[in-house]
């Protein structure tokens, strides 16, 4: 199971939010490229970038910071990006810049036709981010709840040809309150494509809990606040995940 460090970008800086609130941001670094290098040196095998300004504006807003990260990473590891990706031209530009996987969230829910077109135009490069609370999907930077059931939507998007689903429990994200293993497993069991867990990872115990159910279809977990605040040692956590995978 992959542990994937999150680099959330706001106004060109690396930050973390609590429950998606833009006015509750903690700045962890003003050098996104150096932050990317740090996680690679800690053993990261994929990076998760979020353009927070872009998510709220509906179009990318942190392109200089993203390019700085891509320049630092080069071909070493794949990078996935979400936040404000709402049209095919933006996807093409991201992929041309060196992004491996583009994450579509709100636009997938509001405009499924766009997601279908994206999967057709860029097969193997589209991941859907589904943010949910109590089994229902939220959109627009978590500010609006929809009536959509997360499993039903994920199955529909699987049929479109998406590469995987990032599932975030928005009640737990950035709160260090523990990952929602039960809900993540339930989603993974309903799908054939892999699920990446997100939201609430606080300690090595969360990694162990996810490792125990990884065979249900959970291929990775995104971690942010815990590795920045030191409640989770990234290198040790990835080693633990590798140990679980090898059956050690």
């Amino acid at each position: 199971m992959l542990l994937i460090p999150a680099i959330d970008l706001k106004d060109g800086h690396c930050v973390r939010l609590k429950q998606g609130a833009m006015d509750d941001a903690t700045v962890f670094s003003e050098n996104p490229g150096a932050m990317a290098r740090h996680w690679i040196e800690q053993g990261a095998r994929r990076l998760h970038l979020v353009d927070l300004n872009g998510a709220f504006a509906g179009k990318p807003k942190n392109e200089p910071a993203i390019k700085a990260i891509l320049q630092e990473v080069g071909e070493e590891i794949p990078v996935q990006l979400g936040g404000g990706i709402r049209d095919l031209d933006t996807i093409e530009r991201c992929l041309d810049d060196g992004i491996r996987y583009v994450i579509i969230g709100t636009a997938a829910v509001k405009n499924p036709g766009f997601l279908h077109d994206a999967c057709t135009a860029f097969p193997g490069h589209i991941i859907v981010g589904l943010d949910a609370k109590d089994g229902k999907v939220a959109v627009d930077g978590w500010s609006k709840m929809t009536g959509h059931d997360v499993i039903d939507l994920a199955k529909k998007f699987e049929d479109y040809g998406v590469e995987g689903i990032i599932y975030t429990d928005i009640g737990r994200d950035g709160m260090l309150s523990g990952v929602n293993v039960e809900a993540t497993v339930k989603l993974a069991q309903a799908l054939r494509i892999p699920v990446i867990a997100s939201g609430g990872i606080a300690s090595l115990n969360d990694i162990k809990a996810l490792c125990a159910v990884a065979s249900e279809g959970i291929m990775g977990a995104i971690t942010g606040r815990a590795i920045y605040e030191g409640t989770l040692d990234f290198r040790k956590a990835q080693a633990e995940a590798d140990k679980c995978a090898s059956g050690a």
Side-chain angles (χ1 to χ4, degrees):
M1 189 179 76
L2 276 185
L3 260 192
I4 308 171
I7 299 179
D8 290 358
L9 299 166
K10 179 176 184 266
D11 305 331
H13 303 147
C14 302
V15 305
R16 289 302 292 165
L17 306 184
K18 286 188 178 178
Q19 294 187 305
M22 284 290 272
D23 57 357
D24 194 359
T26 304
V27 176
F28 284 106
S29 171
E30 298 189 2
N31 188 333
M35 185 57 72
R37 173 54 48 197
H38 169 74
W39 294 125
I40 290 174
E41 289 172 353
Q42 291 295 307
R45 301 200 286 269
R46 186 187 290 201
L47 292 177
H48 175 78
L49 310 187
V50 181
D51 184 337
L52 293 170
N53 303 98
F56 283 84
K59 59 184 178 182
K61 290 288 185 180
N62 281 283
E63 287 183 275
I66 292 163
K67 286 181 178 177
I69 289 169
L70 291 170
Q71 191 171 359
E72 184 63 46
V73 171
E75 299 289 318
E76 281 184 73
I77 61 171
V79 176
Q80 59 193 41
L81 170 69
I85 298 169
R86 310 279 163 90
D87 59 67
L88 296 179
D89 287 343
T90 301
I91 295 174
E92 186 169 28
R93 195 163 70 248
C94 289
L95 297 178
D96 286 346
D97 285 345
I99 294 292
R100 180 82 58 88
Y101 302 106
V102 168
I103 303 159
I104 302 175
T106 292
V109 181
K110 288 186 163 183
N111 187 358
F114 160 59
L115 177 66
H116 193 277
D117 290 346
C119 290
T120 303
F122 308 104
H125 294 285
I126 307 299
I127 293 175
V128 166
L130 288 179
D131 305 327
K133 189 174 184 180
D134 302 325
K136 299 298 180 185
V137 174
V139 294
D140 291 334
W142 306 350
S143 61
K144 296 175 188 166
M145 295 302 299
T146 72
H148 294 296
D149 179 84
V150 69
I151 290 177
D152 291 345
L153 257 192
K155 283 183 170 179
K156 177 176 161 183
F157 296 159
E158 176 179 66
D159 291 341
Y160 287 1
V162 303
E163 192 69 7
I165 301 287
I166 295 172
Y167 174 69
T168 304
D169 183 319
I170 64 175
R172 302 192 185 208
D173 187 77
M175 301 304 287
L176 300 179
S177 56
V179 70
N180 191 334
V181 175
E182 185 182 354
T184 307
V185 168
K186 192 176 172 187
L187 178 62
Q189 288 174 333
L191 302 173
R192 300 181 305 278
I193 54 175
V195 170
I196 298 173
S198 173
I201 288 175
S203 68
L204 203 55
N205 287 336
D206 293 310
I207 304 305
K208 290 176 179 176
L210 283 171
C211 283
V213 294
S215 61
E216 300 290 349
I218 301 167
M219 65 84 68
I222 294 166
T223 175
R225 186 170 286 273
I227 55 174
Y228 288 100
E229 295 194 348
T231 65
L232 182 70
D233 181 304
F234 183 86
R235 191 185 290 278
K236 286 182 182 173
Q238 184 61 70
E240 179 68 32
D242 291 341
K243 192 169 75 176
C244 292
S246 67

